Amino acid sequence: IDKFEESLKIFELTKNKIIEMEKMLDDIKSLKEKEERELSYWMTEIQTIKNQTEKVERDIFSKLE
């Protein structure tokens, strides 16, 4: 019976560790998704600024030459 109780404790500990690991993985996944959204936002912003500067260059500076 002692072995059974010890096995049961180990089993419960293992289940708890699995639950903990799943939560950690969910947190990491959520963080990664947030990071991807941020990167996408910044890439879009950079492209917008680049387009604006190219337009200014075309509209203003190209006429000076």
Side-chain angles (χ1 to χ4, degrees), residues 3-35:
K3 286 214 177 239
F4 177 78
E5 288 177 351
E6 184 178 342
S7 294
L8 187 58
K9 284 180 185 178
I10 291 171
F11 183 74
E12 286 300 316
L13 283 172
T14 303
K15 278 177 41 182
N16 289 337
K17 285 291 183 185
I18 290 171
I19 290 169
E20 183 180 327
M21 290 169 64
E22 286 177 329
K23 184 180 180 333
M24 287 173 61
L25 284 173
D26 284 343
D27 291 345
I28 290 169
K29 182 181 176 186
S30 175
L31 186 61
K32 183 177 178 192
E33 289 170 353
K34 181 180 178 186
E35 182 181 67

